[in-house]
Amino acid sequence: MNNRIIWNTACIAGLALGAVSTVCMFVGQYLSTQQLSAGANSFLGLILWLVETVGCIWLMNFFMKKFVRENEGIDQKTLFRMGMLTALLSALMFSAIYLANMLYISADFYNQVFQTAIQQMAPSLDSNSMSALRKVVDKLPQITFFYYLIYCFLFGTVLSAILSRNILSKNPFE
């Protein structure tokens, strides 16, 4: 199997998975700015999370099956590798867009959220805790980048391991 074919397939699949997560992120951000009740906001957040999770699982399954159909003689290890690269590239795309959103696209939105949270916690914190909290808030975009990079990559890698075992035939003679 040619590495170029694996990388090309993983790039396309990674873009699709990253796009689903990115769209859900922006929809969720938009919904949080609407004047909805807490119950409605929680319900819509749950629905959005389900759409994102099921959509990503379905897309990963679709691209892995397509990879098997288009490339004869694929073994489980190669299929897993393609899925893992897909997970890495989609995680990188989503994390980078999330970082850009926090720093540039919706910086005012996130600053307002952080300031509101700090103001709500201020009465129960001393000056040292408040100073530490402000330092963490300043580093939050970078922390969030690495958090989503690791989380999405691990989720996609586990999903790839599960799907690669189920997509290919379990018959050792095939």
Side-chain angles (χ1 to χ4, degrees):
M1 171 58 47
N2 186 347
N3 278 335
R4 187 175 184 165
I5 294 170
I6 296 171
W7 275 96
N8 285 341
T9 305
C11 284
I12 293 167
L15 284 173
L17 268 72
V20 167
S21 296
T22 300
V23 166
C24 288
M25 174 194 63
F26 282 117
V27 169
Q29 183 177 320
Y30 172 75
L31 289 175
S32 70
T33 63
Q34 302 305 304
Q35 301 299 325
L36 301 172
S37 69
N41 209 3
S42 295
F43 179 73
L44 290 173
L46 176 66
I47 296 297
L48 192 59
W49 175 80
L50 282 172
V51 166
E52 178 181 9
T53 303
V54 171
C56 286
I57 292 170
W58 184 84
L59 274 175
M60 179 71 93
N61 189 41
F62 170 80
F63 280 109
M64 290 178 85
K65 284 182 177 179
K66 182 180 177 194
F67 184 68
V68 169
R69 277 192 313 268
E70 292 176 352
N71 300 286
E72 291 192 27
I74 297 294
D75 61 348
Q76 185 177 339
K77 183 179 175 182
T78 304
L79 184 60
F80 169 72
R81 191 166 150 234
M82 189 283 292
M84 193 172 71
L85 287 173
T86 298
L88 174 67
L89 295 171
S90 71
L92 188 60
M93 176 188 162
F94 177 69
S95 299
I97 291 172
Y98 205 102
L99 178 67
N101 186 37
M102 288 183 82
L103 291 175
Y104 305 111
I105 300 169
S106 303
D108 294 336
F109 170 78
Y110 284 102
N111 285 333
Q112 180 183 5
V113 169
F114 298 149
Q115 294 309 318
T116 302
I118 289 172
Q119 288 173 359
Q120 289 177 348
M121 289 188 261
S124 62
L125 299 175
D126 63 1
S127 62
N128 290 334
S129 298
M130 205 55 177
S131 175
L133 182 62
R134 289 190 191 280
K135 287 179 184 176
V136 168
V137 166
D138 290 341
K139 302 272 188 223
L140 203 55
Q142 293 86 349
I143 293 168
T144 304
F145 171 81
F146 287 108
Y147 167 78
Y148 278 117
L149 182 67
I150 293 167
Y151 170 76
C152 294
F153 175 67
L154 289 177
F155 179 82
T157 300
V158 170
L159 179 62
S160 175
I162 293 167
L163 292 176
S164 66
R165 292 177 192 267
N166 292 327
I167 290 174
L168 292 176
S169 173
K170 292 183 172 114
N171 186 348
F173 301 107
E174 284 187 20

